[in-house]
Each structure stands twice: as structure tokens, then as C-alpha cells.
Amino acid sequence: RRVLSDLSSGINAEYGDGTLSQNTIPLQKQIISLSDCLACSGCVTSAETVLIESQSLETLFKIRSENPDWLFVVTISPQSIASLAQKYDLSFVEAVTRIIAAARRDGYRYVFSSVEGSEIAHQLSGTELLQRKSTSNTPVLASACPGWICYAEKTQTPAILSQISAVRSPQSILGALAKGAASEREGVPRNQVYHVAVMPCYDKKLEASRAEFREKNGSPQVDLVLSTVEVDDLWKIAEQSHHSHTKNGFDSVLTAGVSYPVHTLSGGSSGGFAERTIHHVALTAGELPPPTLQFTSLRNKDLTECSVNVGGTEYRLAKAYGFRNIQAVLRQVRRGRCPYDYVEMMACPGGCINGGGQIKVEQGVEEVERRWRGALTSTPGVRVVQVPGAEETLMTSYTAVEKTNSALGTSW
């Protein structure tokens, strides 16, 4: 059997028969790139840590030391904020002020919220759902979760992949916009803007490494992703005070000089894609306020469905979290029997709030979600966002990759 003493990129392994008296045979050193890894509900999102050199704190330190004149910007997810708030017994808003203070003290000129990217994604998803509903009986499968996307590309047919939403994830939308916004506002060349994202799961490191999410010069639009756990070690949130810096609000990626509000969006702690996509469908139909959605559980709490009438048209929605439920939906899709118009798919049981990069706490994910809900907007807050060139810059597509004999085909 193969004996691995360390799980890291570029490891050296030894091969033998497992006995104490064996003579081990050194194997050739192998380099594991981020795009080779499937970080779904397997090793990366378990208690283990995978060191990927291109997405590590060591890389960040090296880049910063070698490029002191570069402009550094960061995007922070609300799930990561909620996790840190839970660890340090803070309200969501209190955690935000400390996190932003830490980021600015650490030299980040702009601090963006991925919620702004979510708003853009929801709007584009609403348009996409309307188009799909009018031309096809196939569902829109949400694409915000890179663990589910990686699994789909390695196991599903082109027919299934064509039903995945073409809308980029909130992280990727901020990636497409942040460098240009910072470059224009500060008069710094775009290739000297370095974009870091703080996310609840290691899968987002996979997403940032995708070839289609790169600048024209080949550099990533999101240069480096840090998990909540990594940021906790880096910024020492407990030691921060919101008085550490005079500017405490998020920066808006769309509007210069405007603070983006500190809040989360209705629809659930995984981004609210199902609910808020329908909100934008309702906005297009002139139905305001948008309808309230009541999801009911099916075989388990991570598989839910809802029906709603918008503009005289019935829409059926579902949320499928965890691979057991994802596979159940995919079986329906393959047989042409999927009853849903839109499915919010997330690899992690419990969704993004329970991502593998979150801080593990004894109270469980319910308490983390309670912190997240403490910053919910009092109204649905649906708005129209004007983004130049949205169809070109904020959409993508997914293609099948070569299948291998691995655990990817396991049925949960």
C-alpha cells in the first residue's frame, strides 16, 4: 500500500507492503494542482487541511513582501462573518466592524462584500430563469457552489451541464469587477491590483483557479482565496476594535465613494438563490412586494421545495444540499422527470454556512446561522443593478472533463 506521511502539494510518497521490515521505494515527486482536486464533501471539507501552494497564507505573505507598491483589495463573504461572530460572541454587525478594521490595518485599500455580487447574480439568474421557462422544460441548476460544479463536470453528461446556470458565482462576479474598479479609482495598473477573497469553504480556491476566470494577461481575477479559519489566524479578530480605523463600512464595487450596507439577504444562508431569483422574476412582472416563499422539507431537511405563482405562471423551486440530495435531483433530470424550474444546489449538507472552511464550534451550525440572520434586511430589498457588459463579463459555461475511475461516482 502507499504510505503518505503528509497531505500537501508536491509531496514525496513511499511505496511498500506495509510491514515494519520492508525496504521502501521512493516514488517520483508528484505535483497536485488545485484544478486536480475535488473539494466537495470529501477530504478538503473534512477536518483535514490540504496545503495548496498557490492558495496559501505563505503565498500571500510572499506576494506582499515582493510587491509593496501593489494595491490590495479583499472580498468578504457573510458566511465567514457569521462564523467569526459566533466564535467571539459578537453580533454580525460588530463582527463586520472588527473584520473591516483588521483588513484596513493590514493594508487592504478596498474591502468589498460578496453580498453585492450576490445581488448582481440574483438579477441575472432571474433573467435566465424567465428565458429558460419560455423556451424549455428543463430546470435551471444553480452554479454558485464550485464543489457541485466540479463534481458535475467530472461525472455528468453535456446534456446535464447545459442546464447549469451560466451566471457566475458572487465571488467570481466580484472577481470580474473588483480589479477594474480599484484600478480606475486609484490610477493603478490593473495588473498591480491583487484580489483576495475570504470564503466559507476550500472549494472556492478551486473556483478561483479556473482558467475561464482570468484576466487578459492570464492572472486570476481572484488571486487568492482564504478560508474563514485562515483569516481567523491571520487577523486576530478578538484583538480588533471598530475604532481601529475611521472608515468601517464596506466599499461598493459598482459605485465609487459609496459605502455598501452591512447586511445579509433573505432566502437562506447559502446566498438565497432560489428565493431571490424569483424576486427578480416578480420585479420583471411588476409584482411588488415580491411573494413570500414557504419551502417544505421532503425526505430530509436539506431537500426542500416550494411552488409560487408569479404573473399568472407557476414556478416550482427546490433546494438540494449535500450530494445525496444533489444525486436525487440529477436522477430526475436525467429521466426527464424533474418537476422543478429552478434548483439551488450546494455540495455541503446545511449549505454554505456549514462550509468546510468555517470555524467548528460546539453549538453547531444553527447558532452560526442565527448570527447570520441577525443582519437580515427588513425588506426583500430587490433592486435593479446596472452593470455594463454583464452578458459578456458575468456569465460563463461548463464543460465535461475526462472521467477517471475514482470515488466521484459514489452514490450517497
Side-chain angles (χ1 to χ4, degrees), residues 83-124:
S83 183
L84 290 162
Q86 165 58 25
K87 177 175 180 178
Y88 296 109
D89 193 22
L90 302 170
S91 71
F92 189 93
V93 174
E94 289 172 331
V96 167
T97 58
R98 294 195 185 198
I99 291 166
I100 291 178
R104 296 200 188 282
R105 192 162 72 176
D106 201 24
Y108 289 90
R109 177 63 182 83
Y110 291 99
V111 183
F112 301 116
S113 169
S114 69
V115 176
E116 190 169 17
S118 295
E119 286 199 287
I120 298 170
H122 298 150
Q123 177 176 310
L124 295 174

Side-chain angles (χ1 to χ4, degrees), residues 1 35 39 61 153 195 202 204 215 225 245 306 328 330 333 347 374:
R1 63 182 179 180
S35 60
F61 297 151
E153 289 185 317
H195 185 193
Y202 297 103
K204 288 297 183 180
E215 298 282 283
V225 176
H245 199 284
C306 173
L330 291 177
V333 175

Side-chain angles (χ1 to χ4, degrees), residues 79 118 122 265-279 293 319 321 342 344 346 372:
Q79 294 87 0
S118 295
H122 298 150
L265 299 173
S266 62
S269 55
S270 290
F273 273 82
E275 181 169 318
R276 298 188 69 83
T277 292
I278 284 294
H279 284 180
L293 276 61
K319 297 180 183 180
Y321 297 168
Y342 189 94
E344 185 179 303
M346 299 292 165
W372 174 88

Side-chain angles (χ1 to χ4, degrees), residues 119 122 263-267 275-276 279-280 288-292 376-383:
E119 286 199 287
H122 298 150
H263 69 293
T264 57
L265 299 173
S266 62
E275 181 169 318
R276 298 188 69 83
H279 284 180
H280 279 282
L288 290 177
T292 300
L376 277 172
T377 53
S378 57
T379 62
V382 180
R383 63 171 183 153

Side-chain angles (χ1 to χ4, degrees), residues 54-382:
S54 63
Q55 295 282 331
S56 66
L57 283 171
E58 288 74 12
T59 296
L60 178 59
F61 297 151
K62 183 174 184 291
I63 290 291
R64 296 195 66 169
S65 65
E66 293 177 352
N67 303 280
D69 296 331
W70 279 13
L71 185 68
F72 288 82
V73 303
V74 62
T75 294
I76 302 174
S77 74
Q79 294 87 0
S80 294
I81 296 169
S83 183
L84 290 162
Q86 165 58 25
K87 177 175 180 178
Y88 296 109
D89 193 22
L90 302 170
S91 71
F92 189 93
V93 174
E94 289 172 331
V96 167
T97 58
R98 294 195 185 198
I99 291 166
I100 291 178
R104 296 200 188 282
R105 192 162 72 176
D106 201 24
Y108 289 90
R109 177 63 182 83
Y110 291 99
V111 183
F112 301 116
S113 169
S114 69
V115 176
E116 190 169 17
S118 295
E119 286 199 287
I120 298 170
H122 298 150
Q123 177 176 310
L124 295 174
S125 296
T127 301
E128 182 181 43
L129 177 55
L130 282 169
Q131 293 172 344
R132 183 77 62 86
K133 183 77 168 175
S134 65
T135 60
S136 171
N137 291 324
T138 60
V140 176
L141 307 177
S143 60
C145 172
W148 136 243
I149 291 298
C150 185
Y151 166 79
E153 289 185 317
K154 293 181 178 180
T155 63
Q156 302 302 307
T157 65
I160 298 293
L161 297 177
S162 68
Q163 297 178 46
I164 296 176
S165 172
V167 179
R168 288 190 182 204
S169 74
Q171 172 184 296
S172 183
I173 286 175
L174 264 293
L177 300 175
K179 286 189 176 183
S183 172
E184 182 176 335
R185 295 172 196 178
E186 299 297 320
V188 174
R190 193 177 176 114
N191 62 2
Q192 293 182 20
V193 179
Y194 195 84
H195 185 193
V196 176
V198 178
M199 292 290 149
C201 67
Y202 297 103
D203 300 26
K204 288 297 183 180
K205 296 174 185 277
L206 284 172
E207 180 180 303
S209 73
R210 294 180 70 95
E212 57 267 37
F213 297 156
R214 292 183 175 271
E215 298 282 283
K216 292 181 179 179
N217 65 2
S219 65
Q221 293 175 333
V222 176
D223 294 282
L224 187 139
V225 176
L226 297 177
S227 68
T228 310
V229 171
E230 290 170 306
V231 163
D232 183 31
D233 293 336
L234 176 65
W235 283 347
K236 308 297 181 185
I237 303 303
E239 301 172 7
Q240 299 295 329
S241 165
H242 68 274
H243 299 298
S244 299
H245 199 284
T246 57
K247 185 178 180 181
N248 295 315
F250 286 114
D251 298 292
S252 171
V253 73
L254 294 175
T255 309
V258 174
S259 292
Y260 187 77
V262 175
H263 69 293
T264 57
L265 299 173
S266 62
S269 55
S270 290
F273 273 82
E275 181 169 318
R276 298 188 69 83
T277 292
I278 284 294
H279 284 180
H280 279 282
V281 171
L283 180 64
T284 302
E287 292 192 8
L288 290 177
T292 300
L293 276 61
Q294 298 293 335
F295 282 84
T296 57
S297 297
L298 299 176
R299 64 178 67 180
N300 56 71
K301 66 179 181 179
D302 279 339
L303 183 60
T304 59
E305 67 176 8
C306 173
S307 293
V308 61
N309 189 290
V310 179
T313 301
E314 192 76 13
Y315 289 87
R316 293 194 66 182
L317 316 172
K319 297 180 183 180
Y321 297 168
F323 279 96
R324 178 176 59 167
N325 294 322
I326 285 175
Q327 289 182 339
V329 171
L330 291 177
R331 282 193 291 269
Q332 291 180 315
V333 175
R334 283 194 295 269
R335 296 167 183 167
R337 298 177 181 175
C338 182
Y340 305 115
D341 299 296
Y342 189 94
V343 186
E344 185 179 303
M345 312 273 258
M346 299 292 165
C348 289
C352 297
I353 203 77
N354 190 40
Q358 296 282 72
I359 300 165
K360 305 306 177 188
V361 293
E362 293 182 359
Q363 296 91 333
V365 69
E366 293 79 10
E367 182 61 22
V368 180
E369 184 153 353
R370 186 182 70 82
R371 307 278 172 161
W372 174 88
R373 290 188 179 279
L376 277 172
T377 53
S378 57
T379 62
V382 180

